[in-house]
Amino acid sequence: EVQLVESGGGLVQPGGSLRLSCAASGFTFSNYYMSWVRQVPGKGLEWVANLNPDGSDKNYADSVKGRLTISRDNAKNSVYLQMNSLRAEDTAVYYCTRGGGHTWGQGTLVTVSS
Amino acid sequence: DVVMTQSPLSLPVTLGQPASISCRSGQSLVYSDGNTYLNWFQQRPGQSPRRLIYKVSNRDSGVPDRFSGSGSGTDFTLKISRVEAEDAGVYYCMQATHWPFTFGPGTRVDLK
């Protein structure tokens, strides 16, 4: 069964940092683009970042460029989102997803507040 | 960024009746490889999104055949042939042709 499990969310102060992780199973991880998508509770979806299979090509939404960094470890079947200089507007549920949204994790909530 | 619009934003439906959601993009979604990367997602209350349709009209594995997608260029449609109770939720179209990928605002489908 294809599965994605996110972790690492929590409460962080403005300007702080957090690292999200997503563990993949049930498919050949190193063959697929991986992405992070976020959703403010009760609101719509925003595609945050994606990463090609070998990790050499990364794309970011303008709203997070320079502050969030996507990376992966194919040996560990995992993708990460390093979040720095966090702002209140980064508060959202963050989902890990495979390819063009084929599979989604359960999401992890990031709350940026003092 | 490519702006995606959906209509209606709210759709009350009757069990067993058909339903249709329209999605429009601000520019053509035909990619240089000839494919059109327009996907549809369903999000039930309290759940993660689930992809239903990819590349305009291809149903994902396990998606009931009452769901169908159609369209081309900038105009796309998701149809449910006969609505069932489990179809309640929010439906999003999303384009993956141009970066950044963008979603429509969502259409809330509620049972009457």
Side-chain angles (χ1 to χ4, degrees):
Chain A
E1 179 193 3
V2 176
Q3 195 170 15
L4 299 171
V5 179
E6 301 95 335
S7 59
L11 175 63
V12 60
Q13 291 189 339
S17 297
L18 214 52
R19 189 194 195 210
L20 306 183
S21 299
C22 171
S25 59
F27 63 100
T28 305
F29 180 77
S30 58
N31 287 351
Y32 290 90
Y33 272 79
M34 296 297 297
S35 301
W36 289 94
V37 177
R38 69 184 180 183
Q39 184 174 37
V40 174
K43 302 296 184 182
L45 296 160
E46 180 185 17
W47 208 283
V48 171
N50 75 357
L51 182 60
N52 69 340
D54 68 9
S56 62
D57 185 28
K58 307 176 183 184
N59 293 290
Y60 299 95
D62 285 347
S63 58
V64 306
K65 205 172 291 185
R67 301 185 301 116
L68 275 56
T69 303
I70 188 171
S71 62
R72 65 193 296 160
D73 185 335
N74 286 344
K76 294 183 178 180
N77 288 348
S78 293
V79 61
Y80 307 100
L81 189 66
Q82 178 65 42
M83 311 173 72
N84 298 331
S85 303
L86 283 164
R87 306 167 180 168
E89 54 265 35
D90 295 317
T91 294
V93 175
Y94 285 74
Y95 296 101
C96 165
T97 181
R98 185 188 99 173
H102 174 278
T103 306
W104 297 63
Q106 84 288 354
T108 187
L109 176 62
V110 172
T111 304
V112 184
S113 175
S114 55
Chain B
D1 297 3
V2 177
V3 176
M4 304 296 289
T5 58
Q6 291 180 230
S7 64
L9 297 182
S10 179
L11 181 59
V13 296
T14 301
L15 288 176
Q17 293 300 303
S20 180
I21 300 170
S22 174
C23 172
R24 284 189 172 176
S25 58
Q27 58 185 275
S28 173
L29 298 185
V30 180
Y31 190 57
S32 54
D33 63 4
N35 288 309
T36 299
Y37 295 96
L38 185 284
N39 302 331
W40 288 95
F41 295 87
Q42 174 196 61
Q43 189 172 31
R44 294 171 173 149
Q47 295 188 11
S48 303
R50 168 199 183 193
R51 197 175 71 182
L52 301 175
I53 302 285
Y54 63 97
K55 288 194 289 185
V56 181
S57 60
N58 298 277
R59 264 191 310 276
D60 274 281
S61 176
V63 174
D65 61 7
R66 64 180 181 273
F67 290 94
S68 64
S70 63
S72 63
T74 61
D75 289 325
F76 306 93
T77 302
L78 176 71
K79 292 183 178 178
I80 309 173
S81 59
R82 295 173 305 279
V83 172
E84 297 190 8
E86 64 181 17
D87 299 337
V90 181
Y91 290 78
Y92 297 93
C93 61
M94 168 246 170
Q95 67 82 19
T97 296
H98 307 281
W99 184 260
F101 300 162
T102 47
F103 291 90
T107 294
R108 183 172 300 277
V109 173
D110 290 318
L111 299 177
K112 286 182 182 175

